Amino acid sequence: MIVVLIGPGGVGKGTVARRLLERDGRLWLSRSWTTREPRPTETGEEYFFVTREVFESAIANDFFYEWAQFQGNLYGTPVPHPPEGRDVLLEIEVEGARQVRERQSDAVIVLLTAPSMDQLEERLRGRGDQEEHVRRRLESTRGEIEAGRRLADYVVVNDDVERASGEILSILEGLRQSRRVPS
Ligand code: 5GP
């Protein structure tokens, strides 16, 4: 099973994804590549940070399962090779999710939204992005949510990390039961 978590910047996708991994040992998180610079708050583990040249040569070598340009930077998921029996979790933007849907029609796409726009703005500022970056992000947020709603199988409000991750885990559990091939 491929599970795709989408949602606008600042909605808390990363936090929810981490919580999902802690709570469900069957999930396996793919580590993306990006050409963006690491943020001051990042440790370097969040992505493989690469140059545009390296990224473009990986595209040419069909290395990516999906990739997209977002806010001027390239982001991509390497073709996943999860350990046997694990489900793949991707935390990506909406254009990449569209590519995943094309490659695998039964991918489970979950749109994470914030309870309000004010909260989104607060979260974006809190994580130390530059003002100009915060402003651009907010402008594109509405569009991302609309595109995400069209693509998503499920919409989950991130009002609380425990509750939202619990809701996603129940969705996945239901799907695992219904997709299980009888022996
Ligand atoms: P950020 O720069 O804030 O870490 O990420 C910007 C956006 O890129 C977020 O929506 C994030 O989910 C998305 N993203 C991260 N990795 C990937 C990836 O591998 N592919 C795609 N398409 N988007 C990604």
Side-chain angles (χ1 to χ4, degrees), residues 36-115:
R36 99 156 149 68
E37 293 291 322
R39 296 195 180 101
T41 50
E42 287 177 327
T43 63
E45 296 291 305
E46 294 78 2
Y47 290 97
F48 290 104
F49 293 96
V50 299
T51 62
R52 188 167 271 261
E53 197 182 7
V54 167
F55 198 103
E56 284 171 352
S57 98
I59 295 173
N61 288 314
D62 284 335
F63 175 75
F64 292 115
Y65 186 66
E66 63 72 34
W67 66 271
Q69 176 142 327
F70 183 83
Q71 306 270 338
N73 294 304
L74 301 174
Y75 295 84
T77 305
V79 174
H81 296 290
E84 179 73 31
R86 308 278 293 275
D87 294 324
V88 175
L89 177 65
L90 304 182
E91 186 229 306
I92 61 179
E93 55 67 64
V94 74
E95 171 50 33
R98 198 171 288 131
Q99 294 169 35
V100 172
R101 171 70 86 217
E102 269 168 31
R103 288 182 78 131
Q104 187 157 341
S105 59
D106 68 353
V108 183
I109 303 181
V110 179
L111 170 68
L112 199 63
T113 61

Side-chain angles (χ1 to χ4, degrees), residues 5 12-13 15-24 27 110 112 156-172:
L5 197 56
K13 266 181 300 180
T15 312
V16 169
R18 272 196 302 279
R19 197 64 195 113
L20 288 173
L21 294 170
E22 285 165 4
R23 293 178 67 174
D24 184 345
L27 288 174
V110 179
L112 199 63
V156 172
V157 178
N158 187 17
D159 46 1
D160 174 86
V161 175
E162 279 316 296
R163 198 210 60 76
S165 56
E167 185 178 343
I168 295 170
L169 291 178
S170 327
I171 292 169
L172 299 185

Side-chain angles (χ1 to χ4, degrees), residues 131-174:
E131 182 61 28
E132 172 62 18
H133 193 81
V134 171
R135 205 181 51 73
R136 272 193 287 141
R137 269 289 180 82
L138 284 170
E139 277 170 16
S140 66
T141 289
R142 277 179 212 282
E144 279 177 62
I145 295 176
E146 275 166 32
R149 275 188 198 281
R150 285 194 293 272
L151 197 63
D153 301 298
Y154 302 93
V155 179
V156 172
V157 178
N158 187 17
D159 46 1
D160 174 86
V161 175
E162 279 316 296
R163 198 210 60 76
S165 56
E167 185 178 343
I168 295 170
L169 291 178
S170 327
I171 292 169
L172 299 185
E173 203 40 56

